Amino acid sequence: MTQKNWTPLDRNAIAKRVAKDIPEGWYVNLGIGVPTLVADNVPADREVIFHAENGILGIGPAPEPGKVNPWLINAGKQYITLMKGGSYFHHADSFSMIRGRHLDLCVLGAYEVSASGDLANWARSSTDTAPAVGGAMDLAIGAKRVWVAMQHVTKDGAPRLVESCAYPLTSMACVKRIFTDLAVIDVTPQGFAVREIIDGLSFDELQAMTGAPLIRQDAA
Amino acid sequence: MTQKNWTPLDRNAIAKRVAKDIPEGWYVNLGIGVPTLVADNVPADREVIFHAENGILGIGPAPEPGKVNPWLINAGKQYITLMKGGSYFHHADSFSMIRGRHLDLCVLGAYEVSASGDLANWARSSTDTAPAVGGAMDLAIGAKRVWVAMQHVTKDGAPRLVESCAYPLTSMACVKRIFTDLAVIDVTPQGFAVREIIDGLSFDELQAMTGAPLIRQDAA
Amino acid sequence: MIDKFSPDIAEALDGIPDAATILLGGFGAVGQANLLIEGVLETGVRNLTIVANNAGYGKVGLARLLKEGRVRKLICSYPRIVGSTIFEELYSSGKLELELVPQGTLAERMRAAGAGIPAFFTPTGANTLLSQGKEMRDYNGLPHVLEQALYGDVALVEAWEADRWGNLTYRDAGRNFNPVCAMAAKLTIAQTQHVRELGALNPEHIVTPGIFVDRVVHIPCGDPVG
Amino acid sequence: MIDKFSPDIAEALDGIPDAATILLGGFGAVGQANLLIEGVLETGVRNLTIVANNAGYGKVGLARLLKEGRVRKLICSYPRIVGSTIFEELYSSGKLELELVPQGTLAERMRAAGAGIPAFFTPTGANTLLSQGKEMRDYNGLPHVLEQALYGDVALVEAWEADRWGNLTYRDAGRNFNPVCAMAAKLTIAQTQHVRELGALNPEHIVTPGIFVDRVVHIPCGDPVG
């Protein structure tokens, strides 16, 4: 085996890379896992308003130890804080914001994304023993943009960017951009278009770890 | 012409008679006209919670002169007050209360009511020059009970209680009780059933002023 | 720093095109964004579709837009109120198209637009003149009408308080259609009586979160008139 | 005098029949009416259909109802959370029917029930396993699913404050599904942390007006647990 000239991004680095692309003023919902880490990676001088399904706009940083408010959790059931300007509302209003296309962005994790932007992130099979969907389908169809943050391949090395999803779909043709530990890839009408590759990894090496054709695209 | 032995109720007396039948604790919407007068005729020791379409529960008495709050009007655009325990909400929530069958009662005016409880109270013809419907159709279909308060006959002496309405319908089969200047009449599966007649007026005289058969019914 | 405040009415209204659908908050004289509405007049746009409960109140706001012939179509529940002579003249002379909608259906159609619900069944208006030509279906043993979401290009609302994120509160009966209009339009513009520092509004008491509001202009116009 | 307060949990829960559909507020451990839910256990009712976002949290409330075998069917968006082993055992052994509903559709179906809307079209879940067998229709160029209102016989909600008219406020993320459940059930029962005199709650700040609430019981149980 040849020596690798590259190191995949860790979870926080993926989140940091996502945060870089979020402009001031966007309303953003973050899914569980790597997406949740995005909030802490937005520069302090850039106001981004984070939304939680359970009726919160304006999520602030995690509470300091000993200063937890047990009434204030996000959709991942983690303790959070509220920024100045934040607000509370009920679940039907919260999902009106989601379904009504008021969120500029939702960042989700995924099992698989297809070359046409189909998202599979809620069930591992159609006979899942105890499935759970939560707000994933609402977010996938409702946000103005869906970005995915995930590992490029499975633990077994199988690609997660595929021609068509094997897992049950969350929503069709919804993903616009994918941030992995190896690359940033746009979903275009022509398929997966590579925006960035991590240092030391070649296009062909990335292609080899991807289950559908990649299109070369200059970052410019 | 024989001498009349009876005097029709005036508008306030009709309203007072309606109020008598409203028990404590009901949520009630009052239409424009005679129905609006019902509120002031509920005994002071009986708590009834009045609703207005424009987002108010707990309407109190009319404001004293010089104490008008110009931000506080009812659906008839009259200045009102708010009782302790009152609340404000937006129009979609207000009509959720109406359409969702949360109101115990709505008292409306009418042009006509049919023997099957059809209500006509929003337009005088299908080619009305400038029609206005407001919340009438929502209230008629939504309240748990619809009562009508109106004059028994038109200014020309034509009956308003009829076999079937000539005017455009507001809603079908919704009216349960009618309070007129002459009588209190229930709409039953068999048709109009007389509960009360004003003093001095006979059943046959009432029937002569009514456009559909009346059924005798003891108040007991 | 997010700052949704516009320095003046003209800037707040910038970009409204001809033939736009504009949703207006307000019920009677209360909670109407009259100065924004009159600002629309000054932008010169024409051929508007206006969604509002009443056809203007008194001689201000929508009444002026109607009088100046800027409105092609009115979607409305109760156009005929005392003093709405401008509406009646235009309507009877065929210069104004009217879509009459039951008040609760009007509110729900806008709420549906804001909530991403393109259509819903309602019992209101079933088997009446106002359901003619519409799809019907029985639920719970009663006829229901399929009604469509009502989307706005622009919403003009009046708030009591606002902060720079666009969070809004209302006063008394001034709430009415305002929060519903705010959520249903692509571009929501609020005139507010009072400006508050970010964080001064209690997060439990904000009625319209700023996500539904694009621009705010401070217009301390005082009590309702009309 | 209207007084919706019940002296104790047993009286507040009086009359819930077997096979009732019960809507539960709460999200995670926050805003769950745990003591009312455990009171349901003590009434002895069985064969329940429970509507809740999660399949119980920790070992309290719904988790106990499930463990005691009182629940026939669960309508739920996210049953599988840390510690929900009771659910997984029951479900995998076929002792519990599950209707999995996207979270926003769950909220909207209850809101629709409370608002008198028997059915609505939503884009959520279209062309997925969760839309199988449902009526579909295109709007705005996208497939939509026809979803039905979700009515409750009973709703159990947790409030922060309540007055004798049943007006409610909530605290922070404790609002969640509670106002939606309250409006969707024939019999809505609230447990409240605090009791307020009539008139002490600001009419602008009441979140659930008393029209949606039938009974209230004072349970100052403190911070969320579970």
Side-chain angles (χ1 to χ4, degrees), chain A residues 11-29:
Chain A
R11 288 160 49 90
N12 199 61
I14 299 173
K16 190 169 184 173
R17 179 59 194 84
V18 175
K20 187 181 158 196
D21 284 4
I22 302 177
E24 179 157 278
W26 274 17
Y27 291 88
V28 180
N29 183 293

Side-chain angles (χ1 to χ4, degrees), chain A residues 65-122:
Chain A
K67 291 196 173 177
V68 163
N69 171 358
W71 293 83
L72 191 44
I73 60 171
N74 64 14
K77 282 85 175 179
Q78 298 165 308
Y79 293 116
I80 56 171
T81 57
L82 192 73
M83 294 177 75
K84 281 185 181 181
S87 54
Y88 300 118
F89 33 87
H90 63 54
H91 245 87
D93 281 348
S94 183
F95 280 83
S96 292
M97 295 176 191
I98 294 172
R99 201 191 307 102
R101 305 192 78 75
H102 302 284
L103 292 176
D104 295 289
L105 172 66
C106 178
V107 186
L108 294 169
Y111 299 139
E112 293 175 325
V113 178
S114 84
S116 58
D118 295 352
L119 172 68
N121 78 343
W122 74 280

Side-chain angles (χ1 to χ4, degrees), chain A residues 9 80 83 89 138 147 166 174 181 187 198 210:
Chain A
L9 302 183
I80 56 171
M83 294 177 75
F89 33 87
D138 306 277
W147 294 351
C174 61
D181 52 339
V187 179
I198 57 165
T210 305

Side-chain angles (χ1 to χ4, degrees), chain B residues 24-25 27 47 49 57-58 82-89 92 95-97 99-100 102-103, chain D residues 1-2 4 111 113-117 163-165 167 183 198-199 203-204 206 209-212:
Chain B
E24 180 157 276
Y27 292 88
E47 280 194 326
I49 300 177
L57 269 175
L82 192 73
M83 294 176 76
K84 282 187 181 179
S87 54
Y88 300 119
F89 33 88
F95 279 83
S96 291
M97 295 175 191
R99 201 191 308 101
H102 302 284
L103 292 175
Chain D
M1 194 176 86
I2 297 168
K4 297 187 179 177
R111 190 265 174 194
I117 302 295
D163 64 25
R164 66 177 173 82
W165 279 15
N167 293 308
M183 67 192 286
L198 196 71
E204 306 278 8
I206 289 167
I211 193 171
F212 295 128

Side-chain angles (χ1 to χ4, degrees), chain B residues 4 16 44 62 66 69 99 103 117:
Chain B
K4 281 192 199 172
K16 188 169 185 174
N69 171 358
R99 201 191 308 101
L103 292 175

Side-chain angles (χ1 to χ4, degrees), chain A residues 111-186:
Chain A
Y111 299 139
E112 293 175 325
V113 178
S114 84
S116 58
D118 295 352
L119 172 68
N121 78 343
W122 74 280
R124 291 181 180 276
S125 79
S126 61
T127 55
D128 200 323
T129 50
V133 66
M137 289 186 181
D138 306 277
L139 287 161
I141 196 72
K144 289 178 193 167
R145 298 166 191 82
V146 174
W147 294 351
V148 161
M150 64 176 185
Q151 304 300 314
H152 203 89
V153 298
T154 68
K155 282 175 188 161
D156 301 332
R160 291 175 183 274
L161 284 76
V162 295
E163 280 287 1
S164 81
C165 297
Y167 289 165
L169 289 192
T170 306
S171 181
M172 292 177 70
C174 61
V175 178
K176 296 279 174 271
R177 188 170 292 177
I178 305 159
F179 299 81
T180 78
D181 52 339
L182 304 183
V184 180
I185 293 170
D186 278 346

Side-chain angles (χ1 to χ4, degrees), chain B residues 13-86:
Chain B
I14 299 173
K16 188 169 185 174
R17 180 60 195 80
V18 175
K20 187 182 159 195
D21 284 6
I22 303 176
E24 180 157 276
W26 274 17
Y27 292 88
V28 180
N29 183 293
L30 300 175
I32 297 173
V34 171
T36 300
L37 304 175
V38 169
D40 288 338
N41 282 287
V42 172
D45 63 346
R46 192 191 299 168
E47 280 194 326
V48 173
I49 300 177
F50 292 102
H51 171 272
E53 292 95 306
N54 54 323
I56 305 165
L57 269 175
I59 296 172
E64 294 171 33
K67 293 198 172 173
V68 164
N69 171 358
W71 293 83
L72 191 45
I73 59 171
N74 64 14
K77 283 84 175 181
Q78 298 165 307
Y79 294 116
I80 56 169
T81 57
L82 192 73
M83 294 176 76
K84 282 187 181 179

